[in-house]
Amino acid sequence: GIQVEQSPPDLILQEGANSTLRCNFSDSVNNLQWFHQNPWGQLINLFYIPSGTKQNGRLSATTVATERYSLLYISSSQTTDSGVYFCAAGAGSNYKLTFGKGTLLTVNP
Amino acid sequence: DAGVIQSPRHEVTEMGQEVTLRCKPISGHNSLFWYRQTMMRGLELLIYFNNNVPIDDSGMPEDRFSAKMPNASFSTLKIQPSEPRDSAVYFCASSPQENQPQHFGDGTRLSIL
């Protein structure tokens, strides 16, 4: 099945800093999603982005499907951005999302 | 709009007991997914339903696990008998169709003593 790798595994920022999280996948994808798991354990859907670029406030994402990677940008980070960011990809029948191991982001005041 | 609703939020029980987790998908969504999250294995798909029919249960760990979807607005995941290694957070997700974004419930944190 498809392999999903995320980097970096951990990231510590000061409030106001910008960051880029990366997701590499091993096969062509029909589904790619970014999630934020907050400290309460909730999985929040950030982007559905099998290709192209999307923006939502301080967050944006880009997927280059031909090169098999996706990037999540967080600008002007806030303490509430802390948590684990997951990339999940689906290929082939694409209903089956394979999750990466996540990036643990800590934003300090 | 209401999101995916799971119950209970927390469950603590002794090994050997039957555990039933419940999920109400978003209205109008045709696909429903059960995932399990553990520290060791991360997030894994257990079973997937489309139009109330189980399509892929290859992720169900063993016969102690079973899932049903009797109608479009309700699904259950049952563990009988439960074991300590079943302790995890169980998520339910739904999507409008198979290749559209999945939306997750808040999860059920299960502890088997």
Side-chain angles (χ1 to χ4, degrees):
Chain A
I2 190 170
Q3 307 296 315
V4 179
E5 293 184 357
Q6 292 186 242
S7 60
D10 302 277
L11 187 58
I12 299 175
L13 301 174
Q14 287 299 120
E15 203 167 23
N18 303 328
S19 62
T20 300
L21 281 57
R22 187 176 180 102
C23 172
N24 292 332
F25 40 90
S26 62
D27 202 351
S28 299
V29 296
N30 294 324
N31 186 351
L32 190 129
Q33 293 184 242
W34 283 96
F35 296 90
H36 174 215
Q37 188 164 39
N38 62 26
W40 295 270
Q42 297 170 313
L43 275 168
I44 309 301
N45 204 339
L46 296 177
F47 294 103
Y48 169 72
I49 189 165
S51 63
T53 297
K54 292 185 178 180
Q55 180 155 6
N56 184 2
R58 297 180 296 103
L59 273 60
S60 64
T62 295
T63 296
V64 184
T66 53
E67 297 186 22
R68 300 184 182 172
Y69 72 89
S70 183
L71 302 174
L72 178 68
Y73 305 96
I74 304 174
S75 64
S76 304
S77 58
Q78 301 176 357
T79 56
T80 52
D81 295 332
S82 295
V84 182
Y85 289 80
F86 288 103
C87 168
S93 58
N94 85 19
Y95 63 84
K96 198 169 186 172
L97 282 180
T98 298
F99 280 77
K101 294 184 178 181
T103 293
L104 174 60
L105 176 65
T106 302
V107 181
N108 292 320
Chain B
D1 288 342
V4 176
I5 299 173
Q6 292 186 244
S7 64
R9 287 297 312 277
H10 304 274
E11 175 90 10
V12 180
T13 192
E14 293 185 349
M15 66 177 294
Q17 298 297 306
E18 179 179 288
V19 173
T20 300
L21 311 182
R22 297 173 176 80
C23 175
K24 177 179 170 57
I26 294 172
S27 177
H29 282 194
N30 295 330
S31 299
L32 183 139
F33 309 82
W34 282 100
Y35 290 86
R36 179 170 68 175
Q37 185 177 30
T38 61
M39 289 294 293
M40 291 294 293
R41 299 174 67 89
L43 273 152
E44 304 174 284
L45 177 69
L46 298 177
I47 188 169
Y48 152 64
F49 292 86
N50 192 46
N51 292 322
N52 312 337
V53 176
I55 303 299
D56 184 349
D57 65 354
S58 60
M60 296 285 264
E62 47 197 278
D63 292 345
R64 298 184 297 106
F65 285 69
S66 62
K68 294 182 180 180
M69 192 164 185
N71 56 61
S73 60
F74 184 65
S75 176
T76 59
L77 178 67
K78 187 173 293 188
I79 308 172
Q80 167 63 18
S82 57
E83 296 183 4
R85 59 193 169 117
D86 302 330
S87 298
V89 181
Y90 291 81
F91 286 99
C92 176
S94 71
S95 68
Q97 293 181 20
E98 290 174 304
N99 61 349
Q100 293 188 351
Q102 296 181 22
H103 299 264
F104 282 68
D106 287 346
T108 294
R109 185 173 297 276
L110 177 64
S111 297
I112 308 297
L113 306 178

